[in-house]
Amino acid sequence: MYKLLNKAVLLSALMLSAQTVNAADPAEKLAQKSGCLMCHGIQNAIIGPAYKDIATKYKGDASAEAKLIAKVKAGGGGVWGKMAMPPNSPQVKDDDIKTIVKWILTQA
C-alpha cells in the first residue's frame, strides 16, 4: 500500500511539474494568438527581430513602451532590416498590443 501511495504522489508531482513547464505567460499566449510569433521569436529572429533583442535595444528607455505600441499599431520598417512589419491595428485590440509590448520589454 505504501509503494502504491508513493507512486501516486510521484505521478501527481510529475504531472503538476509538466503543467507548470508548459504553462506559457498569458502575454505570450496572446502574442501567439495574435500572430506575432509567426514573425518574431522570443530568443531568435525569424522574419522580424527576436523579442530579447528588442528588449535589449530599448532597455532603460522610458519612452520605449509608447514607441513600440505605436509601431505595432501602425506598422513600420527600416530599424531591423528591409522587411516592414504590417500594421496590427485594428485586428489586434489596443489593450492586447499594450500587454504584448510590456511583455516583450521584459525579455532582456
Side-chain angles (χ1 to χ4, degrees), residues 49-88:
Y51 287 153
K52 72 172 180 73
D53 295 334
I54 296 169
T56 299
K57 177 180 175 116
Y58 291 100
K59 191 173 187 123
D61 181 347
S63 65
E65 184 179 319
K67 283 184 216 175
L68 292 175
I69 288 170
K71 181 167 257 188
V72 171
K73 285 182 182 184
V79 176
W80 297 94
K82 293 181 182 182
M83 180 64 76
M85 179 176 67
N88 287 282

Side-chain angles (χ1 to χ4, degrees), residues 2-108:
Y2 182 72
K3 285 185 178 183
L4 182 59
L5 182 59
N6 274 345
K7 286 181 182 180
V9 168
L10 180 60
L11 181 59
S12 295
L14 287 172
M15 289 173 62
L16 182 58
S17 68
Q19 288 175 350
T20 303
V21 169
N22 290 330
D25 184 294
E28 182 179 347
K29 288 181 181 179
L30 191 55
Q32 179 70 45
K33 181 183 117 189
S34 301
C36 306
L37 297 177
M38 292 178 68
C39 296
H40 300 276
I42 297 169
Q43 298 296 319
N44 300 304
I46 300 175
I47 294 171
Y51 287 153
K52 72 172 180 73
D53 295 334
I54 296 169
T56 299
K57 177 180 175 116
Y58 291 100
K59 191 173 187 123
D61 181 347
S63 65
E65 184 179 319
K67 283 184 216 175
L68 292 175
I69 288 170
K71 181 167 257 188
V72 171
K73 285 182 182 184
V79 176
W80 297 94
K82 293 181 182 182
M83 180 64 76
M85 179 176 67
N88 287 282
S89 183
Q91 65 270 25
V92 180
K93 295 182 215 169
D94 288 353
D95 287 344
D96 292 348
I97 291 172
K98 184 174 184 176
T99 299
I100 294 167
V101 166
K102 284 181 174 219
W103 170 72
I104 291 167
L105 291 171
T106 68
Q107 301 306 307

